[in-house]
Amino acid sequence: MYPGRWSKETPDKPAVVMGGSGEVVTYRELDDRSNRLAQLMCAAGLRRGDHIAIFMENHPRYFEVVWAGFRSGLYVTTVNRYLTGDEAGYIVDNCEARVLVTSAELREPATELIADTPNVEIRLMVDGTADGYESYEAAIERYPAEPLAEQPMGGLMLYSSGTTGRPKGISRPLPDVDVDQPDAVTGLLSMVFHFDQDSIYLSPAPLYHSAPLGFTTGTQSLGGTVVMMEKFDPIEALALIEEYSITHSQWVPTMFTRMLKRPVEEREQFDLSSHEVAIHAAAPCPVGVKQAMIDWWGPILHEYYGGTELNGLTYCNSEQWLAHPGTVGVPVLGTLHICAEDGTELAPGESGLVYFELPEMPFEYFKDNSKTRSAQHPDHPNWSALGDVGYLDEDGFLFLTDRATFMIISGGVNIYPQEIEDVLIQHPGVLDVAVIGVPNEDMGEEIKAVVQAVDGVDSSDLPNSVLAYAREHLASYKVPRSVDLIDEMPRLPTGKLYKRLLRDEYWGRHGSKIV
């Protein structure tokens, strides 16, 4: 549902506030600028079903580009702003974008990708120009700030994060409605998380990711205000909750960990009384971390599990989680099935691949039928899986064990790293941890923990301390054989860990890129 309504009813209300700079974009400005860009693209011949791409950091102009695509019936692909020119170029070319909008901050990779994107017809750059790019601001000023005569609703075609290979375009049919009609995301926000016109939503994550993009644009559809951080910082996030009287927020578990690792007097100096709903997703949250957050913030935590593919969704509130610690909830979209490798459905308590059943397959991987088929159950094409392993308890609550691709097989025993990571992150000297399988001549693989120390901690004896902690809290076969230290874990701000990059170092593979 396009927020043009609010440009008439509350034209001077902030649609977005930048957390660092304080820059404000009002609903009138958002509506006018997105109209101008929509007019530009229409004049260039783009029509319903065509594609555009955005390669930009968290920027106040981001939303007008997204909404211009939505109100023009276009597919919008947001590209990870941390990718190299080659990596970003692959996505822009693969998605068949006819328009690319980027920024002066990303001038270098944006220039590099030109050679790989010959089918892009219009290249626009915000805050400056570079060879091959026209000034975004000058380009849209040539067009009127009026809605198109027809405004069919567009949609997103986002790409998987590429943690296990080349990213895949996730394509879904465009909705057959106009842009001013309610959509599923807006309904989810209002009914489940109680968003409305008075909501003030803190977004600490990068907009290229599906959840921040969906929740921020959903907030604007409902007439609320988005407070967007340029980059996550644990203390700045808490300060923004107090400064703007934040009512709603969304996080990933690594953000919780970073806040909890700050000194108590530092993180508890802020007034968080306005904070009503704290949502988290993207990765399972260690039980100890989530319990600590509920103890601190109260029972305002809400969790969901689902993929960009929107093939299913689970949800739980704090009360449900406290009754089922570690769960990611019960299904609110689709029916859950836990299956063995051969497709056989498993009983409650047994771990297997997590499938969601819907009346029909809701997505396909763009131009890759084999990958689409590999996501489907061998006997039920309307059951789809995203590679997560888990089990259902007797009450139907889902528990995630790990990604299937991260499983360690040592001496024929299946070991799931997530369980070990959830324990080791509780060590007071550990800021971040990844557990991987590394070569072992006798066992096939052995367990290694890679640890990032808390700032200021003497790390000289940290590996021995972590091993002792593991022996105290884990079964012997789950205890890492060794612990290595790393300066910074290869995570994106979305919380996604590029575990493949860590594994490749130990398996003798070099030259790996994110994708």
Side-chain angles (χ1 to χ4, degrees), residues 45-233:
L46 275 77
R47 296 294 183 268
R48 184 176 187 268
D50 285 335
H51 294 249
I52 67 171
I54 308 171
F55 182 39
M56 197 185 303
E57 72 279 11
N58 280 11
H59 192 286
R61 311 304 290 265
Y62 208 113
F63 292 107
E64 62 203 63
V65 181
V66 173
W67 281 115
F70 283 175
R71 70 190 309 169
S72 302
L74 305 177
Y75 280 106
V76 178
T77 295
T78 56
V79 182
N80 179 341
R81 58 92 70 225
Y82 295 98
L83 297 183
T84 66
D86 288 344
E87 294 162 346
Y90 168 79
I91 292 175
V92 174
D93 185 62
N94 185 261
C95 78
E96 301 179 353
R98 295 179 60 186
V99 175
L100 171 63
V101 180
T102 187
S103 70
E105 182 170 321
L106 301 183
R107 181 182 285 109
E108 183 175 343
T111 303
E112 291 173 357
L113 65 77
I114 290 176
D116 297 324
T117 55
N119 297 315
V120 174
E121 302 163 23
I122 299 173
R123 302 177 191 273
L124 303 175
M125 182 172 285
V126 174
D127 294 338
T129 57
D131 288 345
Y133 288 88
E134 183 182 359
S135 164
Y136 171 89
E137 293 85 354
I140 68 170
E141 279 300 317
R142 297 195 293 266
Y143 293 86
E146 299 173 0
L148 298 173
E150 295 182 358
Q151 296 191 99
M153 183 64 189
L156 295 171
M157 193 179 87
L158 305 184
Y159 277 68
S160 66
S161 56
T163 54
T164 57
R166 278 285 190 184
K168 306 179 289 290
I170 299 162
S171 180
R172 296 188 299 273
L174 290 175
D176 190 20
V177 297
D178 289 337
V179 73
D180 59 357
Q181 299 300 306
D183 64 6
V185 172
T186 306
L188 175 73
L189 265 62
S190 59
M191 290 187 291
V192 177
F193 301 114
H194 310 296
F195 280 72
D196 58 25
Q197 188 180 355
D198 297 322
S199 298
I200 306 173
Y201 173 70
L202 178 65
S203 183
L207 276 187
Y208 64 78
H209 194 257
S210 59
L213 187 58
F215 275 74
T216 51
T217 54
T219 299
Q220 291 167 347
S221 293
L222 293 166
T225 293
V226 173
V227 178
M228 179 168 63
M229 299 183 72
E230 289 87 344
K231 184 178 181 180
F232 173 72
D233 176 83

Side-chain angles (χ1 to χ4, degrees), residues 411-467:
V413 177
N414 294 347
I415 299 168
Y416 294 103
Q418 181 189 307
E419 181 183 3
I420 304 170
E421 292 164 351
D422 288 354
V423 168
L424 298 187
I425 195 65
Q426 304 300 314
H427 186 290
V430 174
L431 181 66
D432 203 353
V433 59
V435 172
I436 59 175
V438 298
N440 180 288
E441 190 171 328
D442 295 326
M443 306 292 285
E445 290 182 281
E446 65 178 58
I447 305 169
K448 180 179 285 292
V450 182
V451 165
Q452 179 182 341
V454 171
D455 291 344
V457 167
D458 180 4
S459 59
S460 59
D461 194 49
L462 185 58
N464 290 330
S465 177
V466 168
L467 287 174

Side-chain angles (χ1 to χ4, degrees), residues 398-412:
L398 176 64
F399 292 74
L400 295 180
T401 309
D402 215 321
R403 294 285 295 174
T405 52
F406 295 156
M407 185 176 69
I408 300 168
I409 303 176
S410 183

Side-chain angles (χ1 to χ4, degrees), residues 17 60 64 66 86 94 98 130 145 186 202 209 214 242 262 274 278 280 287 327 341-342 384 388 395 401 457 465 472:
V17 180
E64 62 203 63
V66 173
D86 288 344
N94 185 261
R98 295 179 60 186
T186 306
L202 178 65
H209 194 257
E242 178 181 90
R262 305 302 300 178
S274 65
H280 71 97
V287 170
T327 185
E341 288 186 12
D342 64 0
S384 56
D388 292 312
D395 296 322
T401 309
V457 167
S465 177
E472 182 181 349

Side-chain angles (χ1 to χ4, degrees), residues 282-300:
C285 188
V287 170
V289 171
K290 184 158 181 177
Q291 182 66 63
M293 289 303 301
I294 294 174
D295 292 343
W296 177 17
W297 284 0
I300 68 168

Side-chain angles (χ1 to χ4, degrees), residues 17-23 227-231 236 240 243-244:
V17 180
M18 299 304 295
S21 68
E23 182 175 349
V227 178
M228 179 168 63
M229 299 183 72
E230 289 87 344
K231 184 178 181 180
E236 182 186 352
L240 289 171
E243 180 180 357
Y244 290 100

